[in-house]
Amino acid sequence: MSFQGRQGAEQIELRHLRYFLATAEELNYRRAAERLRIAQPGLSQQIKKLEEIVGTPLFDRTRRTVRLTLAGELFMHEARKTLAHAESAMLVARRAGRGEVGRIAIGYVGSAAYTGVLTTMVGKFRSSYPEVELQISEMEMQQQLDQLDQGRLDIGFIRPPVPLPVGIGTIPVLFEDIVLALPEAHPQGASEQVALASLNEDIFITPHHPPEVSFLKHTTSACRMAGFFPRLGPQGRDFVTIASMVAVGLGVALVPQSVRCIQVPGLQYRPIADAKVLAELAVAFRRSEPSPVARAFAAHARRSAFSGAEPSPVRGRSKKS
């Protein structure tokens, strides 16, 4: 880093300021040179060069001792501020390069919050990177993937399986059991566990997903494993809506176990006796991510998944990867 000198002919460099401050603080060329670990003649030459650039003497050499001139005293205060600002700029740049500062936009499906994974993972990330600005928004899974692909979102919490845009990867962070949501008056509601085969005449409510995506895929796969193809009925925007639709008797639904925290009148949950299917929660990210802070979050998610830590209150299993 350099600064324009007198008449634009020379430039002041940061090393000139460091040499000057060491000499101004020691008021002795020998001690200043030892402190800087350079030869004393070289230090004297650099101080003279600095005075030529500034255009006025900074040290009074008319006495036996080295003293600052008035210009030198004023220059010393400004030099200290300049070096402090330069060091601060380098520190901020280095921290940004390590992902310790900046801004990150995170999207999540609503059920991610029910598992505790979202709050636990984001909370731990914030503790490790307190100066990173977090923008967190609930949004549908396809919208998250579209915004990740467009660079408008940095991280997504999604429910695979789902086709991924080119360049988008995922990190599985939780696998949990799938349970049945039943109307309170359902004949199978009295059972401790419900065999899916006994629901072959029921209407199944699913989220707004294409056939091979997320819980629509889980529903059809589980029912086929139980020996039938489900009668698909109305669809809900999210699991809160689906829970309400089940409660009013519009059908039954397969939901992640964490959704049991949604309690509405007329609704009950039962374990599935057969056709075990696990629901995955994953963190989506760009594989060629230019943002250091987004890369830091992806690495944090990968470490969290590898640790196998249970983020409560889910009783399902957390996958190691």
Side-chain angles (χ1 to χ4, degrees), residues 149-271:
D149 188 38
Q150 297 163 9
R152 297 166 56 194
L153 191 70
D154 299 306
I155 295 291
F157 283 79
I158 63 172
R159 288 281 192 181
V162 60
L164 298 174
V166 175
I168 303 299
T170 60
I171 303 166
V173 294
L174 183 75
F175 284 82
E176 59 178 318
D177 290 332
I178 290 177
V179 299
L180 272 166
L182 300 171
E184 192 172 53
H186 195 282
Q188 297 295 332
S191 305
E192 290 187 6
Q193 294 185 332
V194 177
L196 271 183
S198 67
L199 304 179
N200 63 336
E201 295 298 324
D202 281 83
I203 294 174
F204 283 79
I205 303 170
T206 59
H208 285 295
H209 291 148
E212 296 300 311
V213 172
S214 196
F215 268 80
L216 184 47
K217 171 70 172 178
H218 291 327
T219 299
T220 56
S221 295
C223 291
R224 283 175 173 173
M225 290 170 60
F228 70 100
F229 190 86
R231 298 172 60 194
L232 300 177
Q235 294 185 321
R237 177 184 178 276
D238 51 37
F239 285 113
V240 173
T241 304
I242 290 173
S244 300
M245 295 168 75
V246 171
V248 299
L250 297 183
V252 301
L254 295 182
V255 298
Q257 182 170 256
S258 54
V259 168
R260 295 172 72 118
C261 67
I262 301 174
Q263 296 291 331
V264 296
L267 176 68
Q268 59 182 329
Y269 299 98
R270 290 292 181 270

Side-chain angles (χ1 to χ4, degrees), residues 1-260:
M1 185 179 294
S2 60
F3 306 89
Q4 201 71 37
R6 184 172 58 126
Q7 297 177 349
E10 299 282 355
Q11 289 186 328
I12 298 176
E13 299 180 5
L14 290 180
R15 63 187 176 90
H16 291 136
L17 301 184
R18 294 190 183 98
Y19 293 163
F20 167 78
L21 285 175
T23 307
E25 291 165 0
E26 297 291 344
L27 292 178
N28 182 287
Y29 281 96
R30 178 183 58 80
R31 290 198 301 269
E34 290 175 353
R35 172 174 156 184
L36 293 166
R37 297 183 180 180
I38 63 173
Q40 182 176 332
L43 174 61
S44 299
Q45 291 175 5
Q46 291 298 323
I47 294 298
K48 289 180 180 178
K49 189 68 169 177
L50 175 61
E51 290 176 321
E52 292 175 4
I53 297 172
V54 174
T56 188
L58 301 174
F59 292 97
D60 183 357
R61 298 178 180 83
T62 61
R63 306 177 182 224
R64 289 184 179 180
T65 58
V66 178
R67 296 180 60 183
L68 286 166
T69 63
L70 175 59
E73 290 179 359
L74 296 175
F75 188 81
M76 179 176 65
H77 295 300
E78 297 303 319
R80 282 175 175 162
K81 288 192 289 185
T82 299
L83 279 179
H85 289 157
E87 290 171 2
S88 176
M90 287 188 289
L91 178 61
V92 168
R94 288 169 183 164
R95 295 184 66 190
R98 294 192 298 264
E100 296 176 5
V101 295
R103 175 183 172 276
I104 184 170
I106 300 174
Y108 68 96
V109 292
S111 62
Y114 310 147
T115 66
V117 169
L118 175 71
T119 53
T120 300
M121 188 174 293
V122 173
K124 289 183 177 179
F125 181 80
R126 186 173 186 182
S127 296
S128 300
Y129 300 88
E131 295 189 41
V132 172
E133 179 186 349
L134 299 175
Q135 178 182 332
I136 306 176
S137 305
E138 181 182 356
M139 61 180 69
E140 294 179 351
M141 184 165 58
Q142 191 56 55
Q143 184 182 4
Q144 289 186 56
L145 294 174
D146 291 342
Q147 292 199 14
L148 275 166
D149 188 38
Q150 297 163 9
R152 297 166 56 194
L153 191 70
D154 299 306
I155 295 291
F157 283 79
I158 63 172
R159 288 281 192 181
V162 60
L164 298 174
V166 175
I168 303 299
T170 60
I171 303 166
V173 294
L174 183 75
F175 284 82
E176 59 178 318
D177 290 332
I178 290 177
V179 299
L180 272 166
L182 300 171
E184 192 172 53
H186 195 282
Q188 297 295 332
S191 305
E192 290 187 6
Q193 294 185 332
V194 177
L196 271 183
S198 67
L199 304 179
N200 63 336
E201 295 298 324
D202 281 83
I203 294 174
F204 283 79
I205 303 170
T206 59
H208 285 295
H209 291 148
E212 296 300 311
V213 172
S214 196
F215 268 80
L216 184 47
K217 171 70 172 178
H218 291 327
T219 299
T220 56
S221 295
C223 291
R224 283 175 173 173
M225 290 170 60
F228 70 100
F229 190 86
R231 298 172 60 194
L232 300 177
Q235 294 185 321
R237 177 184 178 276
D238 51 37
F239 285 113
V240 173
T241 304
I242 290 173
S244 300
M245 295 168 75
V246 171
V248 299
L250 297 183
V252 301
L254 295 182
V255 298
Q257 182 170 256
S258 54
V259 168
R260 295 172 72 118

